[in-house]
Amino acid sequence: MKILFAPAATGSGHNMRVLSLAREILAQQPDAELTVLLGSLQSTFTPLFTEAGVTVVDLAAGRPVDYATKSNLGRRMDWDGYIGGYLAPAFVNGERILQYLALIQEHRPDLLVSDYNMSASMAAAILGTRHALVTERYDFTLYQLDDQTLVDGGFDIEPEDLRRGRQALHACFEWIVSGAELVLTDKPLVPELDEGTAVARALRPGGNAVFTGPMVRRIPPSDAEGKARAELGIPEGPLMVGSVGGTTMFLENKQKVVDRYLEAYELLRGQHPDLQFVLLGREPVPAPESVIQLPYLPEWMPLLREANVLLSAPGWITVTEVAAMRIPTVFVLGSLGEYHEVEAARRLDLLGFPTCIDPTAEQLAATVAPLLAVRPDHEAPTPGQLAVAPEGPGTALAARHLLAAAGRAR
């Protein structure tokens, strides 16, 4: 059985979710032949996939790709600047479709698994190759946001161009979802946000979509001896972890989040002098000596097991991991200008998670403070955590569905 994975290149979460699925598929069917078409963060993920037994094809031919280290949008949202300048190159990319057409024909998989990779899905449809869509999006992001939200995010919009763009993108997503052998989503349906979307329709009885819950790595057991904390040199005391990785639309918003984390940390130290803060980011930033700064940690679960609270952007793979682990988390969005995560932030708020958009340091500190009294792994899951991860990880279920789809195709 041959499965070809094509994660979208726009964020680490797509790579991590595919890695988790690949590991679980090989655990269930060790003789499966798995290949991943890797388009970003190659230096980080190539060894992880290789160690897992997955063949790696580097789409960038050794050129490092990381969408988290630069701004990806300008303030003008019209057809040329937004559709032509960002969405088409990132998601509906003619050259990339041709590349996937060639690679699919070369590898001849039984099943192509596209992790929100629209170009790969289109290539599979053109060739008649069975494909599964793994997605945390119920439709293209633009389709689930109105013009006013974009204006509030500081964008200069051209309404008619965005109207036409929404129609075109929605039609494209509908075609991909309806033609897929299988659609897997780790995002629970929220009717007030998802009504009219392609995936919401596919989740109805008789549809081709399944809500699996978190498609995440196997969760390590609790470490009563605190090995992760000792290995990272974290002193005793309540532990707050702040994550600032991931794709950003405007780099200044990422810096704003870092600033708010650090300011809130200083305020919270007035109440908890022994508070420890670990900041996870791609680049070091000016910070007090007491702040422990670490680069991107592919295997961060042992650290989270030690944390009283995590501060993070609402990137969905992070949401699913921490919900499955039952980690108290405050989700922080620097600005509505980070439009690609606004829908997730709204969903999390509706599900009952602590969520802040462009908070002051005082607001963030007030939100975090009650969670510092929560001991890791000693609290019952919250309603929000149960909505996202009703049975903990759903990776095994997702892998069974993918193996069945590959078997049908074969």
Side-chain angles (χ1 to χ4, degrees):
M1 180 179 294
K2 297 176 67 175
I3 297 177
L4 189 61
F5 289 100
T10 54
S12 60
H14 300 289
N15 289 343
M16 189 58 76
R17 186 162 50 192
V18 162
L19 177 62
S20 303
L21 290 169
R23 285 171 172 165
E24 183 60 36
I25 285 171
L26 289 172
Q28 295 184 23
Q29 187 155 330
D31 62 346
E33 296 180 42
L34 307 185
T35 300
V36 61
L37 307 178
L38 195 57
S40 65
L41 297 173
Q42 302 93 318
S43 62
T44 297
F45 281 94
T46 295
L48 294 174
F49 276 108
T50 301
E51 182 183 2
V54 181
T55 301
V56 176
V57 176
D58 183 354
L59 296 182
R63 298 185 305 275
V65 177
D66 187 348
Y67 282 80
T69 58
K70 61 182 177 61
S71 297
N72 288 288
L73 277 186
R75 290 294 176 183
R76 177 66 176 164
M77 267 202 171
D78 57 11
W79 191 276
D80 290 340
Y82 176 63
I83 306 295
Y86 173 66
L87 274 185
F91 297 103
V92 190
N93 185 317
E95 186 275 332
R96 189 55 60 88
I97 291 172
L98 293 173
Q99 188 177 33
Y100 287 128
L101 285 168
L103 288 164
I104 292 170
Q105 292 178 91
E106 290 168 9
H107 288 269
R108 301 180 64 82
D110 297 307
L111 184 73
L112 178 129
V113 179
S114 158
D115 192 307
Y116 198 63
N117 188 326
M118 300 300 106
S119 297
S121 294
M122 290 178 181
I126 290 169
L127 292 172
T129 299
R130 300 285 184 90
H131 101 276
L133 177 66
V134 178
T135 178
E136 80 281 12
R137 305 285 184 185
Y138 274 58
D139 215 303
F140 272 107
T141 304
L142 183 65
Y143 185 75
Q144 290 189 268
L145 295 180
D146 59 20
D147 286 357
Q148 188 57 52
T149 298
L150 298 173
V151 171
D152 292 342
F155 290 103
D156 173 22
I157 70 169
E158 177 49 58
E160 180 60 16
D161 284 359
L162 295 187
R163 183 194 65 78
R164 295 175 65 236
R166 285 189 183 92
Q167 287 184 331
L169 291 166
H170 177 61
C172 177
F173 204 88
E174 284 272 15
W175 173 65
I176 289 170
V177 167
S178 63
E181 175 77 13
L182 172 69
V183 177
L184 299 179
T185 184
D186 50 14
K187 183 174 277 187
L189 180 106
V190 174
E192 51 262 63
L193 297 177
D194 301 322
E195 188 66 35
T197 63
V199 173
R201 277 193 284 274
L203 283 169
R204 293 172 182 169
N208 61 338
V210 178
F211 169 66
T212 63
M215 292 177 255
V216 297
R217 295 162 281 184
R218 292 191 174 180
I219 297 173
S222 298
D223 178 13
E225 299 179 0
K227 291 180 181 178
R229 189 166 185 146
E231 288 173 357
L232 294 171
I234 304 171
E236 292 297 318
L239 175 59
M240 181 171 76
V241 175
S243 172
V244 293
T247 300
T248 184
M249 295 298 104
F250 299 98
L251 207 54
E252 62 264 28
N253 289 331
K254 181 170 288 187
Q255 184 58 52
K256 182 193 294 185
V257 167
V258 172
D259 292 342
R260 292 296 176 273
Y261 285 179
L262 293 171
E263 292 163 4
Y265 166 62
E266 289 299 323
L267 291 173
L268 290 164
R269 287 179 76 191
Q271 307 167 34
H272 303 274
D274 59 344
L275 177 63
Q276 307 300 320
F277 182 33
V278 174
L279 182 63
L280 302 176
R282 305 288 169 83
E283 302 290 337
V285 299
E289 289 186 8
S290 58
V291 175
I292 299 172
Q293 297 194 55
L294 299 173
Y296 176 71
L297 280 181
E299 303 292 345
W300 73 338
M301 287 184 172
L303 173 62
L304 295 187
R305 280 289 198 201
E306 306 275 348
N308 295 79
V309 61
L310 169 70
L311 280 62
S312 174
W316 201 255
I317 193 67
T318 297
V319 171
T320 58
E321 284 193 344
V322 299
M325 295 176 70
R326 314 308 193 200
I327 304 297
T329 305
V330 176
F331 293 102
V332 184
L333 194 61
S335 164
L336 289 173
E338 298 299 306
Y339 86 102
H340 63 302
E341 290 181 334
V342 170
E343 172 268 319
R346 288 174 172 170
R347 187 180 304 267
L348 291 167
D349 183 57
L350 288 169
L351 291 174
F353 288 91
T355 307
C356 303
I357 298 178
D358 193 14
T360 65
E362 291 76 13
Q363 289 170 336
L364 182 56
T367 305
V368 170
L371 299 175
L372 293 177
V374 178
R375 293 190 61 192
D377 298 323
H378 285 267
E379 294 294 317
T382 66
Q385 290 169 342
L386 288 172
V388 173
E391 299 180 7
T395 323
L397 173 62
R400 289 195 294 272
H401 278 291
L402 291 173
L403 284 168
R408 292 193 298 271
R410 192 179 188 188

